[in-house]
Amino acid sequence: MAEELNPFKIAQHQLEEAAGIMKLDRQALDILKEPKRTLIMNIPVKMSNGKTQTFTAFRVRYNDALGPAKGGIRFHPQESVDTVKALSAWMTWKCSLAEIPFGGGKGGVICDTKKMNDKDLEALSRAYARAVFKDIGPDVDIPAPDVYTTPQIMAWIMDEYANMVGHNEFGVITGKPVEIWGSEGRMDSTALGGMFVMREAAKMLKLNPKKATIAVQGFGNAGKFAYTLSKKVLGSKVVAISDSEGGVYDPTGLDLDKLEEAKQKTGSVQGYKSKTARKITNEELLELKVDILIPAAIENQVKEDNADRINCKLLLELANGPVTPEATNILFERKILDLPDFLVNSGGVIGSYFEWVQNRTGYYWETERFDAELDKKITTSFKETMAMQKAYADKGEKINPRMAAYIIAIDRVAKAMKVRGWY
Ligand code: NAD
């Protein structure tokens, strides 16, 4: 992997940039530049064809000064230790910014789930649980679903862990099916959190959400819920949406039923039929003149070579890493409010925290409480980020919202490490 695209190098670079601005103690920076521990495992699994296949797997605990590590498990053919390390660093900052009592972690297995049947998937999930058994736990490190891992996989891991400790331990993992006190019904917490941030940012920019036009890249979990919730929560009009095949643009607004129908019949939202709609590419979608742009698909979409043509007032990073570091600076110069991923999509991990709290207390909340507490937490993070940016501006130092959020997150972890006597 080229050095400049190595995600862990990017994570370290962002940390160093923020550390420089906030004049972080060198000793704290040295601790924070590398994970606390990195497990690289070889896991033999007896497959349904009778043959044993060996998988390389990872679990990284980046930092746990603020609480048990928290972060998903990816099952991906291109998984690498550097990706897992980077993601675990970003989880550390995400949990810290959200002010939930977790550190950061992440896990992964190099595998292709599309070539595995359910039996093999279960065998691999249980083998992974046994391999990391001593390194996870409700007070140690709490995994969750991520790319190509599902609530069912969480259930198998929880069950295997319970077998080994000899009792149920629902709080060992989040994103479980509702039948075992999980949050499957709350698959929309990432997008819902993003919509609360959108509401606050629109207020700040004096945009009327009911009149604002929105383009969403991605029609998966994050993108589809961003579409439905922006309408439901804010009454906003989504004029463009896309998937990996491309997008559709209708200045009069899109209709969810027709989008679902197009996706089902043609495999893509591009099959959307309306007199006022037209097909667009993903590149065109990003450059549409809209009030709000929500990248909710994959990383590195807004880059040095298209950042000059982004034509929105507010960019909400619902995906992880959709805007490159160079593009962040260009958007900042152009006075486009680009709100960072680890703020905008933190509703997912905040929802996981609520699941863990409920598992540990044995008392389960109504949806209204879940939503209200999520709103309170993420709105606070947004306001704190804006206040930090302003505090630097008042000192004559211009910093972008990403750096402001980093400074808050790093400061909390550094203070916890200091008071614990780590430096
Ligand atoms: P998903 O797999 O459900 O959906 C991804 C969507 O992106 C699909 O509609 C797919 O067609 C589209 N896509 C894929 N390649 C594309 C391309 N080249 N151009 C345009 N669209 C493309 O994934 P998701 O769960 O919705 O996650 C999307 C992003 O949000 C990821 O960056 C993920 O890390 C981030 N995120 C998701 C959650 C969550 O709770 N789902 C939480 C935090 C962050």
Side-chain angles (χ1 to χ4, degrees):
M1 190 183 286
E3 182 113 311
E4 65 274 16
L5 291 178
N6 180 317
F8 188 53
K9 295 277 178 227
I10 294 176
Q12 285 182 318
H13 174 80
Q14 290 168 334
L15 168 67
E16 279 171 357
E17 192 183 341
I21 297 169
M22 66 195 285
K23 301 185 179 55
L24 182 69
D25 189 311
R26 180 80 229 177
Q27 303 164 85
L29 179 60
D30 285 344
I31 302 173
L32 292 174
K33 263 178 72 180
E34 292 288 337
K36 183 170 181 175
R37 55 195 286 157
T38 303
L39 274 179
I40 302 179
M41 301 159 281
N42 263 330
I43 308 182
V45 180
K46 184 81 64 72
M47 307 297 273
S48 52
N49 63 8
K51 298 229 165 78
T52 293
Q53 194 177 331
T54 303
F55 295 88
T56 304
F58 314 100
R59 186 75 201 169
V60 176
R61 193 182 309 165
Y62 198 82
N63 186 288
D64 58 2
L66 284 168
K70 185 87 193 77
I73 306 167
R74 290 183 168 200
F75 280 3
H76 198 280
Q78 269 94 46
E79 197 55 90
S80 74
V81 69
D82 277 342
T83 312
V84 181
K85 277 161 71 173
L87 290 162
S88 69
W90 289 323
M91 282 307 296
T92 308
W93 315 134
K94 194 183 287 193
C95 293
S96 174
L97 180 68
E99 219 169 5
I100 52 179
F102 291 146
K106 205 81 184 185
V109 179
I110 303 176
C111 65
D112 188 349
T113 54
K114 289 180 185 148
K115 293 187 182 143
M116 292 165 79
N117 61 32
D118 268 3
K119 271 207 163 115
D120 292 341
L121 213 47
E122 177 172 356
L124 174 62
S125 305
R126 289 186 185 276
Y128 184 82
R130 290 192 297 276
V132 295
F133 163 62
K134 287 198 173 148
D135 295 275
I136 62 170
D139 292 310
V140 184
D141 181 351
I142 308 142
D146 203 283
V147 176
Y148 296 135
T149 51
T150 58
Q152 175 61 73
I153 290 175
M154 301 305 109
W156 289 324
I157 293 177
M158 182 261 143
D159 187 67
E160 195 66 20
Y161 185 86
N163 287 340
M164 295 203 300
V165 293
H167 57 85
N168 274 327
E169 194 64 86
F170 296 114
V172 67
I173 204 158
T174 60
K176 300 178 293 294
V178 278
E179 292 83 353
I180 50 167
W181 310 109
S183 61
E184 198 183 31
R186 294 316 318 245
M187 292 289 275
D188 63 355
S189 61
T190 300
L192 184 60
M195 293 307 102
F196 293 142
V197 174
M198 179 164 115
R199 181 195 62 206
E200 294 304 313
K203 237 186 264 172
M204 199 180 89
L205 295 174
K206 300 194 170 47
L207 281 175
N208 179 350
K210 288 201 168 66
K211 290 197 179 144
T213 51
I214 304 179
V216 181
Q217 185 191 38
F219 195 59
N221 187 25
K224 199 191 288 186
F225 282 122
Y227 170 88
T228 52
L229 292 170
S230 62
K231 270 194 156 172
K232 193 171 136 194
V233 180
L234 305 166
S236 309
K237 185 160 79 173
V238 175
V239 294
I241 202 154
S242 67
D243 53 34
S244 56
E245 303 292 309
V248 55
Y249 172 54
D250 187 338
T252 65
L254 295 163
D255 178 89
L256 181 66
D257 291 339
K258 282 191 190 170
L259 282 171
E260 297 272 24
E261 195 186 315
K263 186 86 187 163
Q264 222 171 14
K265 278 195 182 151
T266 68
S268 167
V269 293
Q270 284 214 314
Y272 187 90
K273 292 268 176 303
S274 152
K275 274 189 192 144
T276 42
R278 66 177 167 89
K279 284 185 191 178
I280 51 170
T281 63
N282 263 299
E283 291 70 32
E284 286 171 316
L285 179 136
L286 295 170
E287 296 171 19
L288 282 175
K289 183 167 169 36
V290 286
D291 294 307
I292 302 167
L293 175 64
I294 310 181
I298 52 169
E299 57 283 349
N300 300 334
Q301 293 303 289
V302 181
K303 301 173 279 199
E304 200 167 4
D305 55 10
N306 64 354
D308 268 336
R309 297 191 300 277
I310 299 300
N311 211 346
C312 63
K313 294 176 185 135
L314 169 64
L315 191 152
L316 280 178
E317 298 182 15
L318 200 58
N320 276 317
V323 178
T324 65
E326 296 79 16
T328 301
N329 294 332
I330 297 171
L331 296 175
F332 187 54
E333 288 297 316
R334 294 187 55 217
K335 301 197 169 34
I336 291 172
L337 181 61
D338 164 25
L339 293 176
D341 46 7
F342 69 105
L343 164 65
V344 175
N345 68 32
S346 62
V349 76
I350 295 171
S352 275
Y353 165 55
F354 294 162
E355 180 177 335
W356 177 84
V357 166
Q358 292 170 79
N359 290 157
R360 305 212 77 197
T361 57
Y363 181 78
Y364 288 85
W365 309 350
E366 302 286 337
T367 311
E368 292 72 23
R369 176 170 175 193
F370 187 104
D371 292 358
E373 302 245 6
L374 174 59
D375 191 351
K376 197 162 76 184
K377 273 235 153 285
I378 205 160
T379 298
T380 303
S381 296
F382 168 78
K383 288 185 175 163
E384 286 172 345
T385 302
M386 292 299 111
M388 181 61 80
Q389 191 185 23
K390 185 170 179 306
Y392 272 85
D394 290 346
K395 288 192 285 181
E397 217 175 324
K398 278 190 186 171
I399 60 168
N400 62 45
R402 189 181 319 278
M403 276 303 124
Y406 258 111
I407 290 168
I408 296 167
I410 294 167
D411 185 57
R412 285 184 184 143
V413 178
K415 282 189 175 135
M417 297 197 305
K418 177 88 179 163
V419 77
R420 290 178 66 150
W422 292 10
Y423 73 96

